Amino acid sequence: DIQMTQSPSSLSASVGDRVTITCRASQSIIIYLNWYQQKPGKPPKLLIYAASSLQTGVASRFSGSGSGTDFTLTISSLQPEDFATYYCQQSYSNYGYIFGQGTKVEIK
Amino acid sequence: QVQLQESGPGLMKPSETLSLTCTVSGGSISGYYWSWIRQSAGKGLEWIGRIYTSGNTRYNPSLKSRVTMSVDTAKNQFSLKLTTVTAADTAVYYCAREVPLTRDNYYYYAMDVWGQGTTVIVSS
């Protein structure tokens, strides 16, 4: 099974900060990596697909990078509506679309 | 735009079979993959499996022995059955649409539309 490990599990940041979240796969997933944002009581929302492609309608302050086993989600200037939990998800293996354990972004 | 709505029992007893349905509105169910994902309280997301409108399925290996998915194109619905539930199956269950998104002329699958989720509690 491919395992996904996110870091950190939580972080505190201020509005306007640059925030970086890391996701590591246990084996190469090329660029089959998606990022989702989830707010309390809501379903996840797709932000980034194929490691670095911005989903239609998502703010340009979100960006993704990486390939192979190491990936990054960056929020260039954190906005109040960005406080949420972020999940990476590999779509490489048809037998297990594993999600990372999540990174909670909180207000400092 | 396409919307998804889960429906299910809410409260169940251990050893029962969970049956959930996801109704697709605002678009056709045909030609897409449809997934089920669950989330235990305060926990992360667990992919349960997916079904194509042809009926082709893929399940999470950890749940495969208890999971069955089906699709009813006439009703624009797809369903999940999970047998022999325990308290560990207590979670919010989401349905979602998987779409092929393009980058550099290749397709990459992601879940772009989600239902609001339905809470299932397993308790004696």
Side-chain angles (χ1 to χ4, degrees):
Chain A
D1 289 358
I2 300 173
Q3 302 302 316
M4 308 299 294
T5 304
Q6 281 182 240
S7 61
S9 55
S10 66
L11 64 89
S12 295
S14 300
V15 172
D17 283 354
R18 182 181 182 88
V19 169
T20 298
I21 299 168
T22 297
C23 180
R24 176 165 289 176
S26 58
Q27 65 184 72
S28 176
I29 56 171
I30 312 177
I31 59 168
Y32 289 86
L33 191 283
N34 304 319
W35 289 98
Y36 297 85
Q37 175 196 65
Q38 187 179 32
K39 297 181 179 180
K42 298 294 186 182
K45 172 188 174 183
L46 177 65
L47 299 177
I48 301 282
Y49 65 94
S52 63
S53 294
L54 196 66
Q55 171 66 342
T56 302
V58 174
S60 58
R61 62 181 179 274
F62 291 94
S63 64
S65 64
S67 64
T69 60
D70 294 317
F71 302 89
T72 298
L73 173 71
T74 299
I75 309 172
S76 60
S77 178
L78 197 65
Q79 297 303 299
E81 60 268 31
D82 300 337
F83 292 95
T85 300
Y86 295 84
Y87 294 93
C88 63
Q89 176 237 335
Q90 65 86 4
S91 59
Y92 179 76
S93 169
N94 274 333
Y95 290 94
Y97 280 0
I98 304 298
F99 290 87
Q101 77 276 23
T103 296
K104 187 173 184 179
V105 176
E106 298 175 300
I107 301 173
K108 182 182 280 186
Chain B
Q1 72 277 20
V2 173
Q3 293 184 310
L4 308 182
Q5 180 65 59
E6 305 90 347
S7 57
L11 182 62
M12 304 182 63
K13 295 187 184 304
S15 80
E16 292 182 335
T17 295
L18 169 65
S19 292
L20 295 175
T21 296
C22 184
T23 300
V24 180
S25 60
S28 174
I29 197 172
S30 296
Y32 292 99
Y33 286 97
W34 303 92
S35 286
W36 288 97
I37 304 96
R38 69 181 183 180
Q39 186 170 36
S40 304
K43 298 287 181 64
L45 299 161
E46 180 179 29
W47 179 78
I48 300 170
R50 69 175 193 177
I51 186 167
Y52 191 65
T53 47
S54 65
N56 188 26
T57 56
R58 286 284 187 268
Y59 301 141
N60 186 325
S62 69
L63 297 169
K64 185 177 181 179
S65 64
R66 297 195 293 134
V67 170
T68 303
M69 294 183 184
S70 59
V71 62
D72 187 335
T73 54
K75 293 183 178 179
N76 244 28
Q77 294 177 333
F78 61 104
S79 299
L80 167 70
K81 288 190 187 300
L82 182 67
T83 62
T84 321
V85 297
T86 69
D89 296 309
T90 294
V92 176
Y93 285 74
Y94 294 102
C95 58
R97 184 180 74 172
E98 256 189 84
V99 291
L101 299 168
T102 57
R103 173 184 160 175
D104 299 334
N105 296 317
Y106 286 88
Y107 289 114
Y108 299 87
Y109 281 87
M111 288 171 267
D112 72 328
V113 179
W114 295 63
Q116 288 301 306
T118 187
T119 299
V120 175
I121 298 172
V122 181
S123 175
S124 55

